[in-house]
Amino acid sequence: MSKGRIIVNTGDGKGKTTAAFGTALRAAGHGQRVAIVQFIKGSGNYGEANAFEKFPNVEFHRIGSGFTWKTADPSIPMAFAREAWDLARRLALSDEYDLLVLDELNYAVTEGYISEQEILDLLAGKPERLSVIITGRNASAGLIAAADTVTEMRPIKHAFDERVPAKKGIEY
Ligand code: ATP
Ligand code: MG
């Protein structure tokens, strides 16, 4: 059984989450077991959640209340982030998965909901075979050091800059 990878998708450009889901699709196609925990994001109509429902070997969880600029009380997103993190830890340590995607976890770190050290401890103690993908802008230096593969998505241009609204099937 080969050793799992630690992968970080960061940077300000588009593609961090979708690249992680592309890898989840790839793993699922090999019959591997995949778990996805999406931090921060709230109950939107995201195509990925609907699509992964059709895969028996992919488990998809979204635990959040939306990006924090929408809420006045930080204890709400904080509680969601802690709940998502507890679930992520349980899934990681269960040794039932080949791939765990922790989408937008970096955002939970920059907001101060989850500490870098907690993440490093989990990565150090995870089952050997488990690969972990962590996404979100501003990945911390310690996480970058711990990872095997780190990619920075750099925006050259984005339709949003021209005030084009988010598009179904492309942005969500
Ligand atoms: P995606 O989910 O499309 O792969 P992402 O994970 O790289 O994007 P996030 O930082 O999670 O990007 O952004 C959340 C939302 O903002 C998504 O709908 C994403 O498509 C969009 N987005 C990503 N990068 C940019 C950008 N540079 N400018 C404007 N909107 C962006
Ligand atoms: Mg994202």
Side-chain angles (χ1 to χ4, degrees):
M1 199 182 302
S2 73
K3 198 167 169 285
R5 297 278 168 79
I6 299 170
I7 296 166
V8 173
N9 296 345
T10 192
D12 295 337
K14 175 172 167 61
K16 300 173 289 293
T17 295
T18 45
F21 291 164
T23 310
L25 182 72
R26 181 176 274 174
H30 286 294
Q32 296 181 6
R33 290 199 62 190
V34 179
I36 299 169
V37 180
Q38 195 160 52
F39 289 73
I40 311 294
K41 282 177 179 162
S43 56
N45 179 24
Y46 291 97
E48 53 264 35
N50 307 337
F52 283 129
E53 259 176 30
K54 300 181 166 57
F55 287 74
N57 49 335
V58 181
E59 203 181 305
F60 188 93
H61 303 271
R62 179 183 306 120
I63 303 175
S65 54
F67 284 93
T68 44
W69 46 264
K70 287 184 181 164
T71 65
D73 181 358
S75 70
I76 296 169
M78 162 81 101
F80 277 116
R82 294 307 321 177
E83 187 188 333
W85 176 248
D86 289 345
L87 174 65
R89 286 191 72 247
R90 278 203 306 280
L91 293 168
L93 299 175
S94 71
D95 201 10
E96 286 181 16
Y97 301 92
D98 302 287
L99 174 65
L100 175 64
V101 176
L102 303 176
D103 187 38
E104 314 300 349
L105 176 57
N106 291 336
Y107 191 82
V109 175
T110 51
E111 288 299 302
Y113 305 148
I114 311 291
S115 74
E116 178 191 66
Q117 195 56 51
E118 288 176 279
I119 298 171
L120 298 180
D121 289 348
L122 182 60
L123 294 176
K126 73 171 182 62
E128 178 113 326
R129 66 160 168 159
L130 180 70
S131 292
V132 180
I133 306 180
I134 295 174
T135 87
R137 296 178 184 203
N138 303 306
S140 69
L143 178 60
I144 289 171
D148 300 297
T149 300
V150 181
T151 301
E152 181 177 12
M153 276 65 179
R154 185 170 63 85
I156 292 180
K157 59 160 113 165
H158 192 289
F160 191 76
D161 302 336
E162 303 299 323
R163 311 215 170 275
V164 176
K167 185 171 165 58
K168 187 186 217 172
I170 302 292
E171 261 91 39
Y172 63 93

